[in-house]
Amino acid sequence: MTRAPVVRFGTAKRAAELKFFVEDPANFDTLSVAFNRSSRFGRLQNIKCTVAGKNLYMRFGCSTGDAMGMNMVSKGVQNVLDYLQPDFPDMEIIGISGNFCSDKKPAAVNWIEGRGKSVVCEAIINEEVVKKVLKTNIDTLVELNMLKNLTGSAMAGALGGFNAHASNIVSAVFIATGQDPAQNVESSHCITMMESVNDGKDLHISVTMPSIEVGTVGGGTQLASQSACLNLLGVKGASKDSPGSNSRLLASVVAGSVLAGELSLMSAIAAGQLVRSHMKYNRSSKDVSKIPS
């Protein structure tokens, strides 16, 4: 998980001096001691900085066990800022979060660097299943994915939205398992890829999701229904044997569900069934043009 405070100095030179100090490997262990002292599970992993004029943004990344970890990383960041203040007395702390994190907003930094859990999920679907179950064919699916999810999204200027409807699945799983629904924004960053393999006999599909933000302890995971869903998935609470493994498995469940959703919707579109299925299962069959107003 990441948190990026913004601090200000009197000159850009001073902002750069703190950047060099914080990013110097020789100082990492000392900063880690300060960061780690407020949590049993929060462990500093890296600090990446960027300067904007006299302002410095420091993106702290840390492991958080099975918690989503926003509060954990924020406490650690505050510890480091308090530690730095005596050596940089002219440092003005503008905010504990400077949006370089970046939380609950579509951001290239999450798409490139990752945030939370980064997951790649893949499957191979044989030709018979594509034809008999999905009612389409491999070449049509591959072409649709290229022109819709890749080219179409690029034409729209999408940021992390190279998919059919990942956010539908992410939102559903998040609400069911007690995650923060607002973090659906960056957690739904996804690129769906399809290609014909094994001499055209099989379809390879994958979803790459660099910023799934989930936890299996704390927050909404303690609510009765949400706790029951986590228990059903076998990931409730913190893992005693391998801290962090439950939240990683939950992130994998999210990605696997997204892959299934992508395959389903893309097949429906390729087979021309999307509108018909909505009309059959989710709409009235009445001809509204004949209903008097």
Side-chain angles (χ1 to χ4, degrees):
M1 182 46 64
T2 61
R3 175 58 87 203
V6 53
V7 300
R8 181 169 60 197
F9 289 89
T11 65
K13 182 176 183 293
R14 283 292 287 161
E17 287 174 359
L18 179 55
K19 167 183 165 65
F20 295 140
F21 178 87
V22 167
E23 292 185 336
D24 187 341
N27 297 322
F28 183 79
D29 288 344
T30 303
L31 296 175
S32 293
V33 170
F35 184 98
N36 297 343
R37 72 167 182 258
S38 59
S39 172
R40 289 184 298 153
F41 299 104
R43 293 294 177 264
L44 184 64
Q45 294 180 324
N46 57 71
I47 309 174
K48 297 181 180 180
C49 302
T50 188
V51 175
K54 302 185 297 179
N55 308 294
L56 177 66
Y57 298 81
M58 298 176 282
R59 192 174 193 256
F60 290 75
C62 82
S63 58
T64 60
D66 281 304
M68 183 270 286
M70 282 299 301
N71 292 333
M72 195 181 297
V73 66
S74 296
K75 291 177 183 177
V77 167
Q78 187 63 58
N79 292 341
V80 174
L81 293 175
D82 292 343
Y83 171 80
L84 292 171
Q85 193 78 74
D87 291 326
F88 293 87
D90 52 337
M91 177 180 72
E92 180 185 0
I93 301 172
I94 303 300
I96 190 71
S97 173
N99 275 11
F100 188 51
C101 314
S102 176
D103 188 45
K104 301 178 178 71
K105 288 164 283 293
V109 69
N110 294 336
W111 179 244
I112 297 169
E113 298 287 346
R115 190 171 195 254
K117 310 292 188 286
S118 297
V119 185
V120 179
C121 183
E122 65 179 346
I124 292 179
I125 315 297
N126 68 50
E127 185 178 32
E128 184 179 6
V129 171
V130 173
K131 289 182 176 179
K132 293 185 177 180
V133 179
L134 302 179
K135 305 296 191 292
T136 183
N137 62 76
I138 293 173
D139 289 340
T140 299
L141 274 174
V142 171
E143 182 180 42
L144 175 64
N145 188 71
M146 179 186 69
L147 293 178
K148 171 182 168 61
N149 288 342
L150 305 183
T151 308
S153 295
M155 294 300 292
L159 177 57
F162 296 88
N163 59 81
H165 69 146
S167 63
N168 273 337
I169 311 302
V170 173
S171 295
V173 178
F174 269 34
I175 292 170
T177 59
Q179 310 307 309
D180 185 343
Q183 289 183 320
N184 166 63
V185 176
E186 62 268 36
S187 295
S188 294
H189 279 183
C190 171
I191 182 168
T192 299
M193 304 186 74
M194 297 185 190
E195 63 178 286
S196 174
V197 295
N198 300 329
D199 297 323
K201 296 179 181 178
D202 298 312
L203 172 73
H204 182 277
I205 177 174
S206 67
V207 293
T208 301
M209 305 181 70
S211 49
I212 302 177
E213 298 165 356
V214 293
T216 57
V217 296
T221 66
Q222 302 171 84
L223 298 172
S225 296
Q226 283 69 20
S227 178
C229 284
L230 290 170
N231 192 49
L232 185 67
L233 294 171
V235 297
K236 179 182 176 181
S239 171
K240 296 180 180 179
D241 299 326
S242 178
S245 61
N246 280 354
S247 59
R248 287 194 295 272
L249 182 55
L250 179 57
S252 299
V253 168
V254 172
S257 302
V258 167
L259 185 146
E262 291 291 280
L263 186 61
S264 175
L265 178 57
M266 292 295 285
S267 297
I269 294 174
Q273 296 177 344
L274 180 63
V275 174
R276 288 202 301 271
S277 62
H278 270 279
M279 295 302 295
K280 182 177 181 179
Y281 296 109
N282 199 37
R283 293 290 184 273
S284 171
S285 58
K286 294 179 181 179
D287 186 347
V288 295
S289 67
K290 297 180 180 179
I291 299 176
S293 58

